[in-house]
Amino acid sequence: MMLLKRVQARGPLLARQASNLTFLQLQPRLKDGSRDSRRLRREGQLPGILYGEGSDGEKSKVLVSLAQTDFEREYRKLRTSMANQVYEVAVGDDGAKTKVLLRDITLHPVTDVPLTVNFLRFKPGRTVYIPLDFLNQESSPGLKRGGYINNVRHDIPCTVNTDEIPTTLDVDVNGMHVGARIYLENITFPENVVPQIAPRAVVATIAGKRGLIPKTEEEVVEEVVEEEVEEEEEEYQPVF
Protein backbone atom coordinates (compact mmCIF):
# COMPACT_ATOMS: atom_id res chain seq x y z
CA MET A 1 0.00 0.00 0.00
CA MET A 2 1.15 3.53 -0.66
CA LEU A 3 1.77 6.28 1.84
CA LEU A 4 0.47 9.52 0.39
CA LYS A 5 0.16 12.99 1.84
CA ARG A 6 -1.13 16.27 0.49
CA VAL A 7 1.14 18.30 -1.75
CA GLN A 8 0.70 21.55 -3.60
CA ALA A 9 -0.41 21.32 -7.26
CA ARG A 10 0.47 23.43 -10.25
CA GLY A 11 1.07 23.05 -14.00
CA PRO A 12 -0.97 21.91 -17.03
CA LEU A 13 -4.17 19.90 -16.77
CA LEU A 14 -4.15 16.13 -17.24
CA ALA A 15 -5.80 14.72 -20.35
CA ARG A 16 -8.98 12.66 -19.98
CA GLN A 17 -9.16 10.03 -22.68
CA ALA A 18 -12.24 8.61 -24.42
CA SER A 19 -11.81 5.41 -22.39
CA ASN A 20 -12.50 7.48 -19.23
CA LEU A 21 -9.04 6.62 -17.90
CA THR A 22 -6.72 9.45 -16.94
CA PHE A 23 -3.71 9.68 -19.25
CA LEU A 24 -0.24 10.32 -17.80
CA GLN A 25 2.59 11.18 -20.17
CA LEU A 26 5.85 9.47 -19.20
CA GLN A 27 9.30 10.25 -20.53
CA PRO A 28 12.08 7.67 -20.93
CA ARG A 29 15.26 8.12 -18.93
CA LEU A 30 18.56 6.54 -19.85
CA LYS A 31 20.33 6.55 -16.49
CA ASP A 32 19.50 5.25 -13.04
CA GLY A 33 20.98 6.24 -9.69
CA SER A 34 20.66 8.94 -7.04
CA ARG A 35 22.61 11.62 -8.95
CA ASP A 36 20.38 11.37 -12.04
CA SER A 37 17.26 11.21 -9.85
CA ARG A 38 18.22 14.44 -8.08
CA ARG A 39 18.76 16.12 -11.44
CA LEU A 40 15.31 15.03 -12.64
CA ARG A 41 13.64 16.33 -9.46
CA ARG A 42 15.33 19.72 -9.90
CA GLU A 43 13.77 19.77 -13.37
CA GLY A 44 10.29 19.01 -11.97
CA GLN A 45 10.26 15.30 -12.86
CA LEU A 46 9.63 12.27 -10.65
CA PRO A 47 11.86 9.29 -11.49
CA GLY A 48 10.20 5.88 -11.62
CA ILE A 49 10.00 2.44 -13.21
CA LEU A 50 7.39 0.87 -15.48
CA TYR A 51 7.36 -2.84 -14.66
CA GLY A 52 5.26 -6.01 -14.34
CA GLU A 53 3.37 -8.12 -16.85
CA GLY A 54 0.51 -6.44 -18.68
CA SER A 55 -2.55 -7.83 -20.44
CA ASP A 56 -0.57 -8.09 -23.68
CA GLY A 57 2.21 -10.12 -22.06
CA GLU A 58 4.71 -7.26 -22.07
CA LYS A 59 6.81 -7.36 -18.90
CA SER A 60 9.97 -5.40 -19.64
CA LYS A 61 11.41 -2.99 -17.07
CA VAL A 62 11.58 0.59 -18.34
CA LEU A 63 13.15 3.62 -16.62
CA VAL A 64 10.70 6.54 -16.85
CA SER A 65 9.87 9.93 -15.33
CA LEU A 66 6.58 11.76 -14.68
CA ALA A 67 5.97 15.51 -14.38
CA GLN A 68 5.62 16.29 -10.68
CA THR A 69 2.75 18.71 -11.36
CA ASP A 70 0.75 15.93 -13.04
CA PHE A 71 1.13 13.67 -10.04
CA GLU A 72 0.27 16.43 -7.56
CA ARG A 73 -2.87 17.46 -9.41
CA GLU A 74 -4.16 13.90 -9.59
CA TYR A 75 -3.53 13.37 -5.90
CA ARG A 76 -5.49 16.50 -5.01
CA LYS A 77 -8.51 14.90 -6.69
CA LEU A 78 -8.27 11.34 -5.38
CA ARG A 79 -6.00 11.36 -2.32
CA THR A 80 -5.15 7.80 -1.28
CA SER A 81 -7.63 6.39 -3.83
CA MET A 82 -4.91 6.94 -6.43
CA ALA A 83 -3.56 3.53 -5.43
CA ASN A 84 -6.63 1.66 -6.68
CA GLN A 85 -7.21 3.52 -9.94
CA VAL A 86 -6.13 2.38 -13.40
CA TYR A 87 -4.30 4.95 -15.56
CA GLU A 88 -3.18 5.01 -19.15
CA VAL A 89 0.44 5.92 -19.77
CA ALA A 90 2.70 6.23 -22.79
CA VAL A 91 6.50 6.36 -22.72
CA GLY A 92 7.62 9.14 -25.04
CA ASP A 93 5.50 11.08 -27.51
CA ASP A 94 5.10 8.11 -29.87
CA GLY A 95 4.85 5.33 -27.28
CA ALA A 96 1.94 2.88 -27.17
CA LYS A 97 -0.63 3.39 -24.41
CA THR A 98 -0.46 1.00 -21.50
CA LYS A 99 -2.79 0.57 -18.50
CA VAL A 100 -1.05 0.81 -15.13
CA LEU A 101 -1.55 1.07 -11.37
CA LEU A 102 0.55 3.54 -9.34
CA ARG A 103 2.84 1.85 -6.84
CA ASP A 104 5.72 2.50 -4.41
CA ILE A 105 5.50 6.26 -4.01
CA THR A 106 8.36 7.63 -1.92
CA LEU A 107 8.02 10.91 0.01
CA HIS A 108 10.69 13.17 1.47
CA PRO A 109 10.80 12.42 5.24
CA VAL A 110 10.61 16.10 6.21
CA THR A 111 8.83 18.03 3.46
CA ASP A 112 6.55 15.18 2.22
CA VAL A 113 7.33 16.16 -1.36
CA PRO A 114 7.06 13.11 -3.69
CA LEU A 115 10.44 11.75 -4.74
CA THR A 116 9.67 8.67 -6.84
CA VAL A 117 6.67 6.84 -8.30
CA ASN A 118 6.52 3.45 -10.01
CA PHE A 119 3.98 2.05 -12.48
CA LEU A 120 2.76 -1.56 -12.38
CA ARG A 121 1.25 -2.75 -15.66
CA PHE A 122 -2.42 -3.63 -15.17
CA LYS A 123 -4.02 -6.92 -16.06
CA PRO A 124 -7.19 -8.68 -14.79
CA GLY A 125 -6.62 -10.37 -11.43
CA ARG A 126 -4.54 -7.62 -9.85
CA THR A 127 -5.14 -6.82 -6.17
CA VAL A 128 -6.06 -3.31 -5.06
CA TYR A 129 -7.05 -1.86 -1.67
CA ILE A 130 -10.25 0.19 -1.84
CA PRO A 131 -10.92 2.63 1.06
CA LEU A 132 -14.23 2.69 2.95
CA ASP A 133 -16.48 5.76 2.92
CA PHE A 134 -19.17 5.99 5.63
CA LEU A 135 -22.38 7.66 4.45
CA ASN A 136 -25.33 9.23 6.33
CA GLN A 137 -23.38 9.69 9.57
CA GLU A 138 -25.77 12.49 10.55
CA SER A 139 -28.62 9.94 10.56
CA SER A 140 -26.93 7.50 12.94
CA PRO A 141 -28.40 7.74 16.50
CA GLY A 142 -25.22 6.26 17.93
CA LEU A 143 -22.97 8.86 16.29
CA LYS A 144 -25.33 11.73 17.14
CA ARG A 145 -25.24 10.77 20.82
CA GLY A 146 -21.44 10.87 20.98
CA GLY A 147 -20.40 7.51 19.53
CA TYR A 148 -17.78 7.09 16.84
CA ILE A 149 -16.86 4.77 13.97
CA ASN A 150 -14.27 2.20 14.99
CA ASN A 151 -12.54 1.05 11.82
CA VAL A 152 -11.54 -2.59 11.97
CA ARG A 153 -10.45 -2.11 8.35
CA HIS A 154 -9.79 1.17 6.58
CA ASP A 155 -9.79 -0.48 3.17
CA ILE A 156 -10.75 -3.80 1.59
CA PRO A 157 -8.34 -5.91 -0.49
CA CYS A 158 -10.07 -6.81 -3.74
CA THR A 159 -9.28 -8.76 -6.88
CA VAL A 160 -10.24 -6.68 -9.90
CA ASN A 161 -11.04 -7.91 -13.38
CA THR A 162 -11.97 -4.50 -14.75
CA ASP A 163 -10.28 -1.13 -15.16
CA GLU A 164 -13.41 0.63 -13.81
CA ILE A 165 -12.61 0.49 -10.10
CA PRO A 166 -14.55 2.55 -7.53
CA THR A 167 -12.49 5.13 -5.68
CA THR A 168 -14.23 4.13 -2.41
CA LEU A 169 -16.66 1.52 -1.08
CA ASP A 170 -19.81 3.11 0.39
CA VAL A 171 -21.01 2.02 3.85
CA ASP A 172 -24.43 3.30 4.96
CA VAL A 173 -24.63 3.86 8.76
CA ASN A 174 -28.15 5.34 8.69
CA GLY A 175 -30.10 4.29 11.81
CA MET A 176 -27.18 2.51 13.50
CA HIS A 177 -26.79 2.65 17.28
CA VAL A 178 -23.75 2.22 19.50
CA GLY A 179 -22.78 -1.45 19.48
CA ALA A 180 -23.81 -2.04 15.86
CA ARG A 181 -21.45 -4.08 13.72
CA ILE A 182 -20.86 -3.57 10.01
CA TYR A 183 -20.02 -6.72 8.09
CA LEU A 184 -18.46 -7.10 4.67
CA GLU A 185 -21.74 -8.56 3.41
CA ASN A 186 -23.39 -5.18 4.14
CA ILE A 187 -21.28 -3.60 1.37
CA THR A 188 -22.34 -3.76 -2.28
CA PHE A 189 -19.46 -4.50 -4.64
CA PRO A 190 -19.58 -3.64 -8.34
CA GLU A 191 -19.30 -6.35 -10.95
CA ASN A 192 -15.79 -7.76 -11.47
CA VAL A 193 -14.58 -6.46 -8.09
CA VAL A 194 -14.22 -9.40 -5.67
CA PRO A 195 -13.28 -8.91 -1.98
CA GLN A 196 -10.55 -11.15 -0.58
CA ILE A 197 -11.98 -11.44 2.94
CA ALA A 198 -14.89 -13.48 4.32
CA PRO A 199 -18.48 -12.14 3.95
CA ARG A 200 -19.05 -12.23 7.74
CA ALA A 201 -15.85 -10.33 8.51
CA VAL A 202 -16.44 -7.22 10.65
CA VAL A 203 -15.11 -4.11 8.89
CA ALA A 204 -16.28 -1.48 11.43
CA THR A 205 -18.40 -0.93 14.52
CA ILE A 206 -20.27 1.98 16.07
CA ALA A 207 -18.41 2.40 19.35
CA GLY A 208 -19.05 4.56 22.42
CA LYS A 209 -19.69 4.51 26.16
CA ARG A 210 -21.77 1.63 27.50
CA GLY A 211 -24.53 4.02 28.54
CA LEU A 212 -25.12 4.92 24.90
CA ILE A 213 -26.13 1.35 23.98
CA PRO A 214 -29.95 1.28 23.52
CA LYS A 215 -31.79 -1.07 25.90
CA THR A 216 -34.22 -3.72 24.70
CA GLU A 217 -37.91 -3.64 25.70
CA GLU A 218 -37.42 -6.62 28.05
CA GLU A 219 -34.64 -4.83 29.93
CA VAL A 220 -36.79 -1.72 30.33
CA VAL A 221 -39.77 -3.76 31.68
CA GLU A 222 -37.55 -5.58 34.21
CA GLU A 223 -36.19 -2.28 35.54
CA VAL A 224 -39.70 -0.83 35.97
CA VAL A 225 -40.89 -3.92 37.90
CA GLU A 226 -37.87 -3.81 40.20
CA GLU A 227 -38.48 -0.11 40.99
CA GLU A 228 -42.16 -0.76 41.84
CA VAL A 229 -41.22 -3.62 44.24
CA GLU A 230 -38.68 -1.42 46.01
CA GLU A 231 -41.25 1.35 46.50
CA GLU A 232 -43.80 -1.07 48.01
CA GLU A 233 -41.24 -2.42 50.48
CA GLU A 234 -40.44 1.11 51.66
CA GLU A 235 -44.15 1.95 52.23
CA TYR A 236 -44.89 -1.26 54.24
CA GLN A 237 -44.37 -0.57 57.97
CA PRO A 238 -45.72 -3.29 60.29
CA VAL A 239 -47.36 -2.13 63.58
CA PHE A 240 -46.92 -4.19 66.81
Side-chain angles (χ1 to χ4, degrees), residues 104-121:
D104 306 321
I105 291 180
T106 304
L107 304 178
H108 190 281
V110 177
T111 63
D112 293 335
V113 172
L115 300 177
T116 61
V117 56
N118 292 335
F119 305 87
L120 172 65
R121 291 185 182 91

Side-chain angles (χ1 to χ4, degrees), residues 12 53 57 62 100 167 174-175 181 186 201 213 215:
E53 184 177 356
V62 183
V100 301
T167 55
N174 180 36
R181 293 185 174 186
N186 301 134
I213 301 177
K215 298 176 181 178

Side-chain angles (χ1 to χ4, degrees), residues 8 12 22 26 34 53 73 81-82 92 97-98 101 107 118 123 137 148 151 156 188 190 194 208 222 226 239:
Q8 185 179 1
T22 299
L26 305 181
S34 58
E53 184 177 356
R73 180 163 290 103
S81 292
M82 284 182 70
K97 292 178 181 177
T98 303
L101 294 163
L107 304 178
N118 292 335
K123 67 176 182 178
Q137 296 187 34
Y148 59 93
N151 288 82
I156 305 297
T188 301
V194 182
E222 288 179 359
E226 289 177 358
V239 179

